[in-house]
């Protein structure tokens, strides 16, 4: 059952989608009006260099629910989504691509599942209409790798069609290229996540804006997200632990070499001596990194008055 009393914000980042954007807007309005849902449509123009800005400006003069955000240049999808989130007003936020491959008819289903008590609903392009070699196979490999590293197993991290509760998205700070890892970032905030199958359509106009270079960006961001997911509030656990192991190993090796020295052996030209020194120096440095990380985390949380926990609800007996 869809609750109709809450405003829904639909955020669509676009880049050079002048041919498809009007059709997408018409589809969204038809679906939302058919289900009698209150909504606002936020189109974030991410520095398009085609006719997208003119199409959007003309439509905004005719459509009351349409909000157009023109960014000064092409910042990327993460920044475009962040701009949309920051300027939205709905209690539920839905995201989708502007290339017509995501189907707006899936939006009511996502909202229904949000109303069942979930904080984030992720779309799963079950029958994906992309090229096998260039898109689908790399995507499957990436999804499995992300699941293994983060412990959050989803079939389709790359699907832009998602629905969020505002209380979750307002606690997530986006930067870099982290839009791919929104489910992981939401999990850090304690979100209740569900994946659901959605329709996927062939691209009608234009071409994909993603190249093979994004594979390397995903790998770098994956390392960042892995660390945030595991050690966001306890960096000393990783740096300090490895540092202590290195220091202890250095001490054991050095003690062994000292015993050999007292027994009359020459240890000055032994590679083991250099290894012990490197372990000792590295251990001290790693331990220091852990301490600095702890101080930075305290500054991060305390400067923003940001708690290290999230409360879903509070149950209290109010009877006298």
């Amino acid at each position: 059952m869809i609750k109709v009393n809450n405003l829904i914000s639909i955020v669509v980042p676009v880049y050079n989608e002048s041919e498809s954007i009007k059709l997408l807007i018409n589809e969204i309005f038809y679906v939302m009006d058919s289900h009698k849902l209150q909504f606002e449509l936020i189109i974030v123009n991410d520095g398009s260099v085609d006719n997208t800005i003119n199409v959007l400006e003309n439509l905004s003069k005719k459509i009351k629910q349409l909000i157009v955000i023109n960014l000064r240049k092409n910042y990327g999808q993460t920044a475009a989504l962040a701009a949309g989130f920051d300027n939205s007003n709905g209690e539920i936020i839905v995201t989708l691509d502007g290339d017509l491959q995501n189907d707006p008819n899936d939006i009511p289903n996502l909202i229904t599942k949000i109303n069942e008590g979930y904080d984030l609903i992720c779309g799963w392009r079950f029958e994906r209409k992309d090229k096998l070699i260039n898109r689908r196979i790399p995507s499957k490999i990436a999804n499995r790798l992300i699941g293994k590293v983060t412990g959050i197993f989803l079939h389709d991290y790359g699907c832009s069609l998602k629905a969020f509760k505002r209380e979750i998205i307002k606690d997530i700070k986006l930067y870099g290229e982290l839009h791919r890892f929104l489910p992981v970032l939401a999990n850090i905030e304690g979100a209740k996540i569900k994946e659901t199958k959605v329709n996927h359509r062939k691209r009608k106009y234009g071409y994909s804006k993603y190249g093979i270079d994004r594979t390397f960006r995903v790998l770098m961001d994956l390392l960042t997200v892995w660390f945030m997911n595991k050690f966001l509030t306890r960096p000393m656990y990783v740096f300090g632990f490895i540092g202590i192991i290195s220091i202890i190993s250095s001490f054991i090796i050095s003690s062994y070499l000292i015993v050999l020295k007292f027994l009359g052996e020459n240890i000055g030209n032994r590679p083991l001596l250099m290894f012990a020194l490197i372990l000792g120096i590295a251990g001290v440095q790693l331990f220091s990194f852990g301490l600095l990380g702890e101080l930075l985390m305290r500054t991060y949380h305390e400067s923003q008055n940001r708690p290290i926990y999230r409360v879903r609800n509070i149950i209290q007996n109010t009877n006298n």
Side-chain angles (χ1 to χ4, degrees):
M1 186 70 181
I2 300 177
K3 297 179 182 178
V4 298
N5 55 342
N6 290 334
L7 180 67
I8 298 160
S9 296
I10 301 175
V11 177
V12 184
V14 297
Y15 177 66
N16 293 345
E17 298 289 357
S18 59
E19 295 174 304
S20 62
I21 191 61
K22 185 175 181 180
L23 295 173
L24 177 63
I25 291 174
N26 289 337
E27 283 191 38
I28 291 173
F29 270 79
Y30 176 78
V31 170
M32 301 303 282
D33 289 341
S34 297
H35 290 81
K36 296 181 173 56
L37 295 171
Q38 298 180 12
F39 73 102
E40 61 179 5
L41 176 58
I42 302 172
I43 307 292
V44 184
N45 177 30
D46 188 22
S48 298
V49 293
D50 64 352
N51 198 41
T52 298
I53 185 170
N54 295 325
V55 174
L56 290 173
E57 285 180 354
N58 290 331
L59 290 173
S60 66
K61 296 174 183 177
K62 306 173 185 176
I63 305 173
K64 181 178 65 174
Q65 295 98 324
L66 178 61
I67 301 170
V68 178
I69 301 173
N70 289 311
L71 301 186
R72 292 187 176 183
K73 65 175 186 177
N74 179 233
Y75 290 95
Q77 191 170 353
T78 298
L81 284 173
F85 294 157
D86 292 342
N87 290 277
S88 63
N89 301 292
E91 291 302 313
I92 297 174
I93 301 173
V94 177
T95 63
L96 69 159
D97 280 334
D99 56 12
L100 290 175
Q101 288 195 271
N102 293 141
D103 190 348
N105 286 291
D106 288 312
I107 294 176
N109 182 44
L110 268 62
I111 296 170
T112 298
K113 293 187 180 300
I114 282 284
N115 289 329
E116 290 174 359
Y118 293 97
D119 301 304
L120 167 58
I121 304 298
C122 301
W124 170 17
R125 295 167 292 184
F126 183 67
E127 295 181 350
R128 189 170 174 178
K129 302 297 191 301
D130 284 323
K131 293 181 179 179
L132 180 65
I133 303 297
N134 293 348
R135 303 295 299 276
R136 283 156 55 190
I137 290 179
S139 179
K140 285 186 177 182
I141 294 172
N143 290 326
R144 290 192 178 185
L145 179 61
I146 294 171
K148 287 285 187 182
V149 171
T150 63
I152 303 166
F153 296 93
L154 298 176
H155 293 89
D156 193 356
Y157 269 90
C159 182
S160 296
L161 187 55
K162 295 181 175 70
F164 306 81
K165 281 187 179 177
R166 169 166 293 280
E167 63 193 57
I168 286 297
I169 207 66
K170 72 178 182 181
D171 289 327
I172 296 176
K173 303 299 180 185
L174 289 176
Y175 52 90
E177 296 286 335
L178 292 182
H179 67 274
R180 302 180 186 90
F181 301 99
L182 274 168
V184 183
L185 299 175
N187 181 70
I188 293 173
E189 302 298 335
K192 189 177 179 182
I193 303 171
K194 183 178 178 62
E195 191 175 36
T196 186
K197 294 178 182 178
V198 296
N199 187 30
H200 191 244
R201 305 182 292 193
K202 289 184 178 180
R203 175 182 278 273
K204 290 184 177 181
Y205 306 104
Y207 58 93
S208 173
K209 312 305 187 296
Y210 296 113
I212 192 65
D213 61 318
R214 75 169 180 162
T215 303
F216 302 101
R217 297 200 300 269
V218 169
L219 291 175
M220 296 301 102
D221 290 335
L222 180 57
L223 292 175
T224 301
V225 169
W226 170 79
F227 185 86
M228 292 173 62
N229 193 40
K230 295 289 186 180
F231 305 107
L232 179 63
T233 59
R234 47 186 182 179
M236 190 61 173
Y237 281 30
V238 58
F239 290 115
F241 177 75
I242 298 174
I244 289 174
I245 294 297
S246 297
I247 292 171
I248 292 175
S249 299
S250 175
F251 177 77
I252 292 172
I253 295 172
S254 299
S255 299
Y256 169 72
L257 292 173
I258 290 172
V259 171
L260 292 181
K261 181 67 175 178
F262 278 117
L263 293 176
E265 293 192 26
N266 182 18
I267 63 172
N269 59 355
R270 286 196 172 211
L272 200 58
L273 177 61
M274 183 62 67
F275 184 56
L277 290 173
I278 293 173
L279 279 177
I281 294 171
V284 172
Q285 288 181 329
L286 286 169
F287 194 83
S288 299
F289 287 161
L291 289 175
L292 290 174
E294 289 287 334
L295 293 175
L296 288 172
M297 282 301 102
R298 292 178 186 274
T299 302
Y300 170 70
H301 286 283
E302 292 174 8
S303 64
Q304 303 180 66
N305 194 25
R306 183 182 174 91
I308 61 173
Y309 59 87
R310 298 292 179 270
V311 176
R312 183 175 299 278
N313 56 23
I314 297 175
I315 301 173
Q316 184 179 4
N317 188 341
T318 58
N319 295 328
N320 294 327

